[in-house]
Amino acid sequence: LAQAALDQADQAAPRALPAAWPKFQCRADVQQEHAMGKVHGSLARAGKVKNQTPKVAKAEKKKVLTGRAKKRFVYNRRFVSVVKGGPKRGPNSNMK
């Protein structure tokens, strides 16, 4: 008889919290409000854009100056070959 009473209590609706207890929202509660979708996509699509882009060969470039030669190049560019008059231009300007 006691076992039957316990089984009936288990089948009844779950007990609600007393009204005096504060309702805290935990991280799981907040996440359940949003759609539970995937965030970053599947790994089957990884590298898709890189594999689609055409391969372009690297262009040959002039050797980069180092040491004394670089200091000489920078000095000549900043102080020797400066055009007097006219607006000042930045180092990356393409204006002639």
Side-chain angles (χ1 to χ4, degrees):
L1 185 65
Q3 185 64 31
L6 288 176
D7 289 340
Q8 285 180 350
D10 288 341
Q11 292 175 357
R15 290 186 294 162
L17 293 176
W21 286 11
K23 284 191 173 182
F24 294 109
Q25 278 196 340
C26 67
R27 192 172 186 87
D29 294 339
V30 174
Q31 286 178 348
Q32 286 178 353
E33 291 175 5
H34 302 294
M36 298 296 287
K38 300 284 190 285
V39 179
H40 293 294
S42 68
L43 292 177
R45 294 193 297 268
K48 172 180 176 279
V49 174
K50 183 176 181 182
N51 292 333
Q52 284 181 341
T53 55
K55 180 68 176 162
V56 178
K58 298 244 179 194
E60 290 188 26
K61 295 181 183 178
K62 182 181 160 188
K63 181 180 71 134
V64 180
L65 296 175
T66 59
R68 176 198 53 80
K70 182 175 182 179
K71 294 289 185 187
R72 179 174 176 245
F73 174 75
V74 170
Y75 173 80
N76 288 333
R77 181 175 61 196
R78 288 185 187 166
F79 302 111
V80 176
S81 63
V82 174
V83 177
K84 299 291 181 188
K88 287 192 173 183
R89 297 195 195 105
N92 201 27
S93 174
N94 291 325
M95 291 175 51
K96 295 259 177 173

Coordinates of all heavy atoms in Angstrom, one line a residue:
L1 N 0.8 -1.2 0.0 CA 0.0 0.0 0.0 C 0.9 1.3 0.0 O 0.6 2.2 -0.7 CB -0.9 0.0 1.2 CG -2.0 1.1 1.3 CD1 -2.9 1.0 0.1 CD2 -2.7 1.1 2.6
A2 N 1.9 1.2 0.8 CA 2.8 2.4 0.9 C 3.5 2.6 -0.5 O 3.8 3.7 -0.9 CB 3.8 2.2 2.0
Q3 N 3.9 1.5 -1.1 CA 4.6 1.6 -2.4 C 3.6 2.2 -3.5 O 4.0 2.9 -4.3 CB 5.1 0.2 -2.9 CG 5.9 0.1 -4.1 CD 7.2 0.9 -4.0 OE1 7.8 1.0 -2.9 NE2 7.6 1.5 -5.1
A4 N 2.4 1.8 -3.4 CA 1.4 2.4 -4.4 C 1.2 3.9 -4.2 O 1.1 4.6 -5.2 CB 0.1 1.7 -4.2
A5 N 1.3 4.3 -3.0 CA 1.2 5.8 -2.7 C 2.4 6.5 -3.2 O 2.3 7.6 -3.8 CB 1.0 6.0 -1.2
L6 N 3.6 5.9 -3.1 CA 4.8 6.5 -3.7 C 4.8 6.6 -5.2 O 5.2 7.6 -5.8 CB 6.0 5.8 -3.2 CG 6.4 5.9 -1.7 CD1 7.6 5.0 -1.4 CD2 6.8 7.4 -1.4
D7 N 4.3 5.5 -5.8 CA 4.2 5.5 -7.3 C 3.2 6.6 -7.8 O 3.4 7.3 -8.8 CB 3.7 4.1 -7.8 CG 4.8 3.1 -7.6 OD1 6.0 3.5 -7.5 OD2 4.4 1.9 -7.6
Q8 N 2.1 6.8 -7.1 CA 1.1 7.8 -7.5 C 1.7 9.2 -7.3 O 1.5 10.1 -8.1 CB -0.1 7.7 -6.6 CG -1.0 6.6 -7.0 CD -2.3 6.5 -6.1 OE1 -2.4 7.2 -5.1 NE2 -3.2 5.6 -6.5
A9 N 2.6 9.4 -6.3 CA 3.2 10.7 -6.0 C 4.2 11.0 -7.2 O 4.4 12.1 -7.6 CB 3.9 10.7 -4.7
D10 N 4.9 9.9 -7.7 CA 5.9 10.1 -8.7 C 5.2 10.5 -10.0 O 5.7 11.2 -10.9 CB 6.7 8.9 -8.9 CG 7.7 8.7 -7.8 OD1 8.0 9.7 -7.1 OD2 8.2 7.5 -7.6
Q11 N 4.0 9.9 -10.3 CA 3.2 10.2 -11.5 C 2.6 11.6 -11.5 O 2.2 12.1 -12.5 CB 2.2 9.1 -11.7 CG 2.8 7.8 -12.1 CD 1.8 6.7 -12.2 OE1 0.6 6.9 -12.0 NE2 2.2 5.5 -12.5
A12 N 2.4 12.2 -10.3 CA 1.7 13.5 -10.2 C 2.6 14.5 -10.8 O 3.8 14.3 -11.1 CB 1.4 13.8 -8.8
A13 N 2.1 15.7 -11.0 CA 2.8 16.8 -11.6 C 4.0 17.2 -10.7 O 4.0 17.0 -9.5 CB 1.9 18.0 -11.8
P14 N 5.1 17.6 -11.3 CA 6.3 17.9 -10.5 C 6.0 19.1 -9.6 O 5.2 20.0 -9.9 CB 7.4 18.3 -11.5 CG 6.6 18.6 -12.8 CD 5.4 17.8 -12.7
R15 N 6.6 19.1 -8.4 CA 6.4 20.2 -7.5 C 7.0 21.5 -8.0 O 8.1 21.5 -8.5 CB 7.0 19.8 -6.1 CG 6.3 18.7 -5.4 CD 6.8 18.5 -4.1 NE 8.2 18.0 -4.2 CZ 9.1 18.0 -3.2 NH1 8.7 18.5 -2.0 NH2 10.3 17.6 -3.4
A16 N 6.2 22.6 -7.8 CA 6.7 23.9 -8.2 C 7.5 24.5 -7.0 O 7.3 24.1 -5.9 CB 5.6 24.8 -8.6
L17 N 8.4 25.4 -7.3 CA 9.1 26.1 -6.3 C 8.2 27.0 -5.5 O 7.3 27.6 -6.1 CB 10.3 26.9 -6.9 CG 11.4 26.1 -7.5 CD1 12.4 27.0 -8.2 CD2 12.1 25.2 -6.5
P18 N 8.5 27.2 -4.3 CA 7.7 28.2 -3.5 C 7.8 29.6 -4.1 O 8.8 29.9 -4.7 CB 8.3 28.1 -2.1 CG 9.0 26.8 -2.0 CD 9.4 26.5 -3.4
A19 N 6.8 30.4 -4.0 CA 6.8 31.7 -4.7 C 7.8 32.6 -4.0 O 8.3 33.6 -4.7 CB 5.4 32.3 -4.5
A20 N 8.2 32.3 -2.8 CA 9.2 33.2 -2.2 C 10.6 33.0 -2.7 O 11.5 33.9 -2.6 CB 9.2 32.9 -0.7
W21 N 10.9 31.9 -3.4 CA 12.2 31.6 -3.9 C 12.4 32.5 -5.1 O 11.6 32.6 -6.0 CB 12.4 30.2 -4.2 CG 12.5 29.3 -3.0 CD1 12.3 29.6 -1.7 CD2 12.9 27.9 -3.0 NE1 12.6 28.6 -0.9 CE2 12.9 27.5 -1.7 CE3 13.3 27.0 -4.0 CZ2 13.3 26.2 -1.3 CZ3 13.6 25.7 -3.6 CH2 13.6 25.4 -2.3
P22 N 13.6 33.1 -5.2 CA 13.8 33.9 -6.4 C 14.1 33.1 -7.7 O 14.6 32.0 -7.5 CB 15.1 34.7 -6.1 CG 15.8 33.9 -5.1 CD 14.7 33.2 -4.3
K23 N 13.7 33.6 -8.8 CA 13.9 32.8 -10.1 C 15.2 33.3 -10.7 O 15.3 34.4 -11.1 CB 12.8 33.0 -11.1 CG 11.6 32.3 -10.7 CD 10.6 32.4 -11.9 CE 9.4 31.5 -11.6 NZ 8.5 31.5 -12.8
F24 N 16.2 32.4 -10.7 CA 17.5 32.8 -11.3 C 17.6 32.1 -12.7 O 17.2 31.0 -12.8 CB 18.7 32.2 -10.5 CG 18.8 32.9 -9.1 CD1 18.5 32.2 -8.0 CD2 19.2 34.2 -9.0 CE1 18.6 32.8 -6.7 CE2 19.3 34.8 -7.8 CZ 19.0 34.1 -6.7
Q25 N 18.0 32.9 -13.7 CA 18.2 32.3 -15.0 C 19.6 31.9 -15.1 O 20.6 32.7 -15.0 CB 17.9 33.3 -16.1 CG 16.4 33.4 -16.4 CD 16.2 34.1 -17.7 OE1 17.1 34.8 -18.2 NE2 15.0 34.0 -18.2
C26 N 19.8 30.6 -15.3 CA 21.2 30.1 -15.5 C 21.5 30.1 -17.0 O 20.6 30.4 -17.9 CB 21.4 28.7 -15.0 SG 20.4 27.5 -15.8
R27 N 22.7 29.9 -17.4 CA 23.2 29.9 -18.8 C 22.3 29.0 -19.7 O 22.0 29.3 -20.8 CB 24.6 29.6 -18.8 CG 25.3 29.9 -20.1 CD 26.8 29.7 -20.0 NE 27.5 30.0 -21.1 CZ 28.0 31.3 -21.4 NH1 27.7 32.2 -20.5 NH2 28.6 31.5 -22.5
A28 N 22.0 27.8 -19.2 CA 21.2 26.9 -20.0 C 19.8 27.4 -20.3 O 19.3 27.2 -21.3 CB 21.1 25.5 -19.2
D29 N 19.2 28.1 -19.3 CA 17.9 28.7 -19.5 C 17.9 29.7 -20.6 O 17.0 29.8 -21.4 CB 17.3 29.3 -18.2 CG 17.1 28.3 -17.1 OD1 17.0 27.1 -17.5 OD2 17.0 28.6 -15.9
V30 N 18.9 30.6 -20.6 CA 19.0 31.6 -21.6 C 19.3 31.1 -23.0 O 18.7 31.5 -23.9 CB 20.2 32.6 -21.2 CG1 20.4 33.6 -22.3 CG2 19.9 33.3 -19.9
Q31 N 20.1 30.0 -23.1 CA 20.4 29.4 -24.4 C 19.2 28.7 -24.9 O 19.0 28.7 -26.1 CB 21.5 28.4 -24.2 CG 22.9 29.1 -24.1 CD 24.0 28.1 -23.9 OE1 23.8 26.9 -23.7 NE2 25.2 28.5 -24.0
Q32 N 18.3 28.2 -24.1 CA 17.1 27.5 -24.6 C 16.1 28.5 -25.2 O 15.3 28.0 -26.0 CB 16.5 26.7 -23.5 CG 17.3 25.4 -23.1 CD 16.6 24.7 -22.0 OE1 15.7 25.1 -21.4 NE2 17.2 23.5 -21.7
E33 N 16.2 29.7 -24.9 CA 15.2 30.7 -25.5 C 15.6 30.9 -26.9 O 14.7 31.2 -27.7 CB 15.3 32.0 -24.7 CG 14.8 31.9 -23.3 CD 15.0 33.2 -22.5 OE1 15.4 34.2 -23.2 OE2 14.6 33.3 -21.4
H34 N 16.8 30.8 -27.3 CA 17.2 31.0 -28.7 C 17.1 29.7 -29.5 O 17.0 28.6 -28.9 CB 18.7 31.5 -28.8 CG 18.9 32.8 -28.0 ND1 18.3 34.0 -28.4 CD2 19.6 33.0 -26.9 CE1 18.7 34.9 -27.5 NE2 19.5 34.4 -26.6
A35 N 17.1 29.8 -30.8 CA 17.1 28.6 -31.6 C 18.4 27.8 -31.4 O 19.5 28.4 -31.4 CB 16.9 29.0 -33.1
M36 N 18.2 26.6 -31.2 CA 19.4 25.7 -30.9 C 20.0 25.2 -32.2 O 20.0 24.1 -32.6 CB 19.0 24.5 -30.1 CG 18.4 24.9 -28.7 SD 19.6 25.8 -27.7 CE 20.6 24.4 -27.2
G37 N 20.6 26.2 -33.0 CA 21.2 25.8 -34.3 C 22.7 25.7 -34.2 O 23.3 26.0 -33.2
K38 N 23.3 25.3 -35.3 CA 24.7 25.2 -35.3 C 25.3 26.6 -35.4 O 24.7 27.5 -35.9 CB 25.2 24.4 -36.6 CG 24.6 23.0 -36.6 CD 25.4 22.1 -35.7 CE 25.0 20.7 -35.9 NZ 23.8 20.3 -35.4
V39 N 26.5 26.7 -34.8 CA 27.1 28.0 -34.7 C 28.1 28.3 -35.9 O 28.0 29.3 -36.6 CB 27.8 28.2 -33.4 CG1 28.5 29.6 -33.3 CG2 26.9 28.0 -32.2
H40 N 29.0 27.4 -36.1 CA 30.1 27.6 -37.1 C 30.0 26.8 -38.4 O 30.9 26.8 -39.2 CB 31.4 27.4 -36.5 CG 31.7 28.4 -35.4 ND1 31.9 29.7 -35.7 CD2 31.8 28.2 -34.1 CE1 32.1 30.3 -34.5 NE2 32.1 29.5 -33.5
G41 N 29.0 26.0 -38.6 CA 28.9 25.2 -39.8 C 29.6 23.9 -39.6 O 30.4 23.7 -38.7
S42 N 29.4 23.0 -40.6 CA 30.1 21.7 -40.5 C 31.5 21.8 -41.0 O 31.9 22.6 -41.8 CB 29.3 20.7 -41.3 OG 29.4 21.0 -42.7
L43 N 32.3 20.8 -40.7 CA 33.7 20.7 -41.1 C 33.8 20.3 -42.6 O 34.9 20.3 -43.1 CB 34.5 19.8 -40.2 CG 34.7 20.3 -38.8 CD1 35.4 19.3 -38.0 CD2 35.4 21.6 -38.8
A44 N 32.7 19.8 -43.1 CA 32.7 19.4 -44.5 C 33.0 20.6 -45.5 O 33.5 20.4 -46.6 CB 31.4 18.7 -44.9
R45 N 32.7 21.8 -45.0 CA 32.8 23.0 -45.8 C 34.1 23.7 -45.5 O 34.4 24.8 -46.0 CB 31.7 23.9 -45.7 CG 30.4 23.3 -46.2 CD 29.3 24.4 -46.3 NE 28.9 25.0 -45.0 CZ 28.0 24.5 -44.2 NH1 27.2 23.5 -44.6 NH2 27.7 25.1 -43.1
A46 N 35.0 23.2 -44.7 CA 36.2 23.9 -44.3 C 37.1 24.0 -45.4 O 37.4 23.1 -46.2 CB 36.9 23.1 -43.1
G47 N 37.7 25.2 -45.7 CA 38.6 25.4 -46.7 C 38.0 25.6 -48.1 O 38.7 25.6 -49.1
K48 N 36.7 25.8 -48.1 CA 35.9 25.9 -49.4 C 36.4 27.1 -50.3 O 36.7 26.9 -51.4 CB 34.4 26.0 -49.1 CG 33.6 26.3 -50.3 CD 32.1 26.4 -49.9 CE 31.2 26.7 -51.1 NZ 31.2 28.2 -51.4
V49 N 36.5 28.2 -49.7 CA 36.9 29.4 -50.4 C 38.3 29.4 -50.9 O 38.6 29.7 -52.0 CB 36.6 30.7 -49.6 CG1 37.1 31.9 -50.3 CG2 35.1 30.8 -49.2
K50 N 39.2 28.9 -50.0 CA 40.6 28.9 -50.4 C 40.8 27.9 -51.6 O 41.6 28.1 -52.4 CB 41.4 28.4 -49.2 CG 42.9 28.4 -49.5 CD 43.7 28.1 -48.3 CE 45.2 28.1 -48.6 NZ 46.0 27.7 -47.5
N51 N 40.1 26.8 -51.6 CA 40.2 25.8 -52.6 C 39.6 26.3 -53.9 O 40.0 25.8 -55.0 CB 39.6 24.5 -52.2 CG 40.4 23.8 -51.1 OD1 41.6 24.0 -51.0 ND2 39.7 23.0 -50.3
Q52 N 38.7 27.2 -53.9 CA 38.0 27.7 -55.1 C 38.8 28.8 -55.8 O 38.6 29.1 -56.9 CB 36.6 28.3 -54.7 CG 35.6 27.2 -54.5 CD 34.2 27.8 -54.2 OE1 34.1 29.0 -53.9 NE2 33.2 27.0 -54.4
T53 N 39.7 29.5 -55.0 CA 40.4 30.7 -55.6 C 41.5 30.2 -56.5 O 42.2 29.2 -56.2 CB 41.0 31.5 -54.5 OG1 41.9 30.7 -53.7 CG2 40.0 32.2 -53.7
P54 N 41.7 30.8 -57.7 CA 42.7 30.4 -58.6 C 44.1 30.6 -58.1 O 44.3 31.6 -57.4 CB 42.4 31.2 -59.9 CG 41.7 32.4 -59.4 CD 40.9 32.0 -58.2
K55 N 45.0 29.7 -58.4 CA 46.4 29.9 -57.9 C 47.1 30.8 -58.8 O 47.1 30.7 -60.1 CB 47.1 28.5 -58.0 CG 48.5 28.5 -57.6 CD 48.6 28.8 -56.1 CE 50.1 28.6 -55.7 NZ 50.4 29.3 -54.4
V56 N 47.7 31.9 -58.2 CA 48.4 32.9 -59.0 C 49.9 32.8 -58.6 O 50.2 32.8 -57.4 CB 47.9 34.3 -58.7 CG1 48.7 35.3 -59.5 CG2 46.4 34.4 -59.1
A57 N 50.8 32.7 -59.5 CA 52.2 32.5 -59.2 C 52.7 33.9 -58.6 O 52.3 34.9 -59.0 CB 53.0 32.2 -60.5
K58 N 53.7 33.8 -57.7 CA 54.3 34.9 -57.1 C 55.1 35.7 -58.1 O 55.8 35.1 -58.9 CB 55.1 34.6 -55.9 CG 54.4 33.9 -54.8 CD 54.4 34.7 -53.6 CE 53.6 34.0 -52.5 NZ 53.4 34.9 -51.4
A59 N 55.0 37.0 -58.1 CA 55.8 37.8 -59.1 C 57.2 38.0 -58.5 O 57.4 38.0 -57.3 CB 55.2 39.2 -59.2
E60 N 58.2 38.1 -59.4 CA 59.6 38.3 -58.9 C 59.7 39.7 -58.5 O 59.2 40.7 -59.1 CB 60.5 38.0 -60.1 CG 60.6 36.5 -60.5 CD 61.7 36.3 -61.5 OE1 62.7 37.0 -61.5 OE2 61.6 35.3 -62.2
K61 N 60.4 39.9 -57.3 CA 60.6 41.2 -56.8 C 62.0 41.5 -56.6 O 62.9 40.6 -56.5 CB 59.9 41.3 -55.4 CG 58.4 41.2 -55.5 CD 57.7 41.3 -54.1 CE 56.2 41.1 -54.2 NZ 55.6 41.1 -52.9
K62 N 62.3 42.8 -56.5 CA 63.7 43.2 -56.3 C 64.1 42.8 -54.8 O 63.3 42.8 -53.9 CB 63.8 44.8 -56.4 CG 65.1 45.4 -56.3 CD 65.0 46.9 -56.5 CE 66.2 47.6 -55.9 NZ 66.0 49.0 -55.8
K63 N 65.4 42.5 -54.7 CA 65.9 42.2 -53.4 C 65.7 43.3 -52.4 O 66.0 44.5 -52.7 CB 67.4 41.8 -53.5 CG 68.0 41.3 -52.2 CD 69.4 40.9 -52.3 CE 70.3 42.2 -52.6 NZ 71.5 42.3 -51.8
V64 N 65.3 43.1 -51.2 CA 65.1 44.1 -50.2 C 66.5 44.5 -49.6 O 67.3 43.7 -49.2 CB 64.2 43.6 -49.0 CG1 64.0 44.7 -48.0 CG2 62.9 43.1 -49.6
L65 N 66.7 45.8 -49.5 CA 68.0 46.3 -49.0 C 68.0 46.1 -47.5 O 67.0 46.2 -46.8 CB 68.1 47.8 -49.3 CG 68.2 48.2 -50.8 CD1 68.2 49.7 -51.0 CD2 69.4 47.6 -51.4
T66 N 69.2 45.9 -47.0 CA 69.4 45.8 -45.5 C 70.6 46.5 -45.1 O 71.5 46.9 -45.9 CB 69.6 44.3 -45.1 OG1 70.7 43.8 -45.8 CG2 68.4 43.5 -45.4
G67 N 70.7 46.8 -43.8 CA 71.9 47.4 -43.2 C 72.2 48.8 -43.7 O 71.3 49.7 -43.9
R68 N 73.5 49.1 -44.1 CA 73.9 50.4 -44.5 C 73.2 50.8 -45.8 O 72.8 52.0 -46.0 CB 75.4 50.4 -44.8 CG 76.0 51.7 -45.3 CD 77.4 51.4 -45.9 NE 77.4 50.4 -46.9 CZ 77.0 50.5 -48.2 NH1 76.5 51.7 -48.6 NH2 77.1 49.5 -49.0
A69 N 73.0 49.9 -46.7 CA 72.4 50.3 -48.0 C 70.9 50.7 -47.8 O 70.5 51.7 -48.4 CB 72.4 49.0 -48.9
K70 N 70.2 50.2 -46.8 CA 68.8 50.6 -46.5 C 68.8 52.0 -45.9 O 68.0 52.8 -46.3 CB 68.2 49.6 -45.6 CG 66.7 50.0 -45.3 CD 66.0 48.9 -44.5 CE 64.6 49.3 -44.3 NZ 63.9 48.3 -43.5
K71 N 69.8 52.2 -45.0 CA 69.9 53.6 -44.4 C 70.2 54.6 -45.4 O 69.6 55.7 -45.4 CB 71.0 53.6 -43.3 CG 70.7 52.7 -42.1 CD 69.6 53.3 -41.3 CE 69.4 52.5 -40.0 NZ 68.2 52.9 -39.3
R72 N 71.0 54.3 -46.4 CA 71.4 55.2 -47.5 C 70.1 55.5 -48.3 O 69.9 56.6 -48.7 CB 72.5 54.6 -48.3 CG 72.9 55.5 -49.5 CD 74.2 54.8 -50.1 NE 74.5 55.6 -51.3 CZ 74.5 55.1 -52.5 NH1 74.1 53.9 -52.8 NH2 74.9 55.8 -53.5
F73 N 69.4 54.5 -48.7 CA 68.2 54.6 -49.5 C 67.2 55.5 -48.8 O 66.6 56.4 -49.4 CB 67.6 53.2 -49.8 CG 66.3 53.2 -50.5 CD1 66.2 53.5 -51.9 CD2 65.1 52.9 -49.8 CE1 65.0 53.5 -52.5 CE2 63.9 52.9 -50.5 CZ 63.9 53.2 -51.8
V74 N 66.9 55.2 -47.5 CA 65.9 56.0 -46.8 C 66.3 57.5 -46.7 O 65.5 58.4 -46.8 CB 65.7 55.4 -45.4 CG1 64.9 56.3 -44.5 CG2 65.0 54.0 -45.5
Y75 N 67.6 57.7 -46.4 CA 68.1 59.1 -46.3 C 67.9 59.8 -47.6 O 67.4 61.0 -47.7 CB 69.6 59.1 -45.9 CG 70.3 60.4 -46.0 CD1 70.1 61.3 -44.9 CD2 71.0 60.8 -47.1 CE1 70.7 62.6 -45.0 CE2 71.6 62.1 -47.1 CZ 71.4 63.0 -46.1 OH 72.0 64.2 -46.1
N76 N 68.3 59.2 -48.7 CA 68.1 59.8 -50.0 C 66.6 60.1 -50.3 O 66.3 61.1 -50.9 CB 68.7 58.9 -51.1 CG 70.2 59.0 -51.1 OD1 70.8 59.9 -50.6 ND2 70.9 57.9 -51.5
R77 N 65.8 59.2 -50.0 CA 64.4 59.4 -50.3 C 63.8 60.5 -49.4 O 63.0 61.3 -49.9 CB 63.6 58.0 -50.0 CG 62.1 58.1 -50.3 CD 61.4 56.8 -50.1 NE 61.6 56.3 -48.7 CZ 61.4 55.1 -48.3 NH1 61.0 54.2 -49.1 NH2 61.5 54.8 -47.0
R78 N 64.2 60.6 -48.2 CA 63.6 61.6 -47.3 C 64.2 63.0 -47.4 O 63.5 64.0 -47.3 CB 63.8 61.2 -45.8 CG 62.9 60.0 -45.4 CD 63.1 59.7 -43.9 NE 62.3 58.5 -43.6 CZ 62.5 57.8 -42.5 NH1 63.4 58.3 -41.6 NH2 61.8 56.7 -42.2
F79 N 65.5 63.1 -47.6 CA 66.1 64.4 -47.6 C 66.7 64.9 -48.9 O 66.7 66.1 -49.1 CB 67.2 64.4 -46.5 CG 66.7 64.0 -45.1 CD1 67.0 62.8 -44.5 CD2 65.8 64.9 -44.4 CE1 66.5 62.5 -43.3 CE2 65.3 64.5 -43.2 CZ 65.7 63.3 -42.6
V80 N 67.2 64.0 -49.7 CA 68.0 64.5 -50.9 C 67.0 64.7 -52.0 O 67.1 65.8 -52.7 CB 69.0 63.4 -51.3 CG1 69.7 63.8 -52.6 CG2 70.0 63.2 -50.2
S81 N 66.1 63.8 -52.4 CA 65.3 63.9 -53.5 C 63.9 64.6 -53.3 O 63.0 64.4 -54.0 CB 65.1 62.6 -54.2 OG 64.4 61.7 -53.3
V82 N 63.8 65.4 -52.2 CA 62.6 66.0 -51.8 C 62.4 67.2 -52.8 O 63.3 68.0 -53.0 CB 62.6 66.5 -50.4 CG1 61.3 67.3 -50.0 CG2 62.7 65.3 -49.4
V83 N 61.2 67.4 -53.3 CA 60.9 68.5 -54.2 C 60.5 69.7 -53.3 O 59.6 69.6 -52.5 CB 59.7 68.1 -55.1 CG1 59.3 69.3 -56.0 CG2 60.1 66.9 -56.0
K84 N 61.1 70.8 -53.5 CA 60.8 72.0 -52.8 C 59.5 72.7 -53.3 O 59.3 72.7 -54.5 CB 62.0 73.1 -52.9 CG 63.3 72.6 -52.4 CD 63.2 72.4 -50.8 CE 64.6 71.9 -50.4 NZ 64.6 71.6 -49.0
G85 N 58.7 73.2 -52.4 CA 57.4 73.8 -52.8 C 56.4 72.7 -53.0 O 56.6 71.5 -53.2
G86 N 55.2 73.2 -53.1 CA 54.1 72.2 -53.4 C 53.6 71.6 -52.1 O 54.2 71.7 -51.1
P87 N 52.5 70.8 -52.2 CA 52.0 70.2 -51.0 C 52.8 69.0 -50.6 O 53.4 68.3 -51.4 CB 50.6 69.7 -51.4 CG 50.7 69.5 -52.9 CD 51.7 70.6 -53.4
K88 N 52.9 68.8 -49.3 CA 53.6 67.6 -48.8 C 52.8 66.4 -49.0 O 51.6 66.4 -48.9 CB 53.9 67.8 -47.2 CG 54.9 68.8 -46.9 CD 55.3 68.6 -45.4 CE 56.4 69.6 -45.1 NZ 56.9 69.4 -43.7
R89 N 53.5 65.3 -49.4 CA 52.8 64.1 -49.7 C 53.4 63.0 -48.8 O 54.5 63.0 -48.4 CB 53.1 63.7 -51.2 CG 52.5 64.7 -52.1 CD 52.4 64.1 -53.5 NE 52.2 65.2 -54.5 CZ 53.1 65.7 -55.3 NH1 54.3 65.2 -55.3 NH2 52.8 66.6 -56.1
G90 N 52.5 62.0 -48.5 CA 52.9 60.9 -47.7 C 53.9 60.0 -48.4 O 54.0 60.0 -49.6
P91 N 54.4 59.0 -47.7 CA 55.4 58.1 -48.3 C 54.7 57.1 -49.3 O 55.4 56.5 -50.1 CB 56.0 57.3 -47.1 CG 55.0 57.5 -46.0 CD 54.3 58.8 -46.3
N92 N 53.4 57.0 -49.2 CA 52.7 56.0 -50.1 C 51.9 56.7 -51.2 O 51.1 56.1 -51.8 CB 51.8 55.1 -49.2 CG 51.4 53.8 -49.9 OD1 52.2 53.3 -50.7 ND2 50.3 53.3 -49.6
S93 N 52.2 58.0 -51.4 CA 51.4 58.7 -52.4 C 51.9 58.4 -53.8 O 53.0 58.2 -54.1 CB 51.7 60.2 -52.2 OG 51.0 61.0 -53.2
N94 N 50.9 58.3 -54.7 CA 51.1 58.0 -56.1 C 51.0 59.2 -57.0 O 51.1 59.1 -58.2 CB 50.2 56.9 -56.6 CG 50.5 55.5 -56.0 OD1 51.7 55.2 -55.7 ND2 49.5 54.7 -55.7
M95 N 50.8 60.4 -56.4 CA 50.6 61.6 -57.1 C 51.9 62.0 -57.7 O 53.0 61.9 -57.1 CB 50.1 62.7 -56.3 CG 48.6 62.5 -55.8 SD 48.0 63.7 -54.7 CE 48.4 65.2 -55.5
K96 N 51.9 62.6 -59.0 CA 53.1 63.0 -59.6 C 53.1 64.5 -59.7 O 52.2 65.2 -59.8 CB 53.2 62.4 -61.0 CG 53.3 60.9 -61.0 CD 54.7 60.5 -61.3 CE 54.7 59.0 -61.2 NZ 55.9 58.4 -61.5

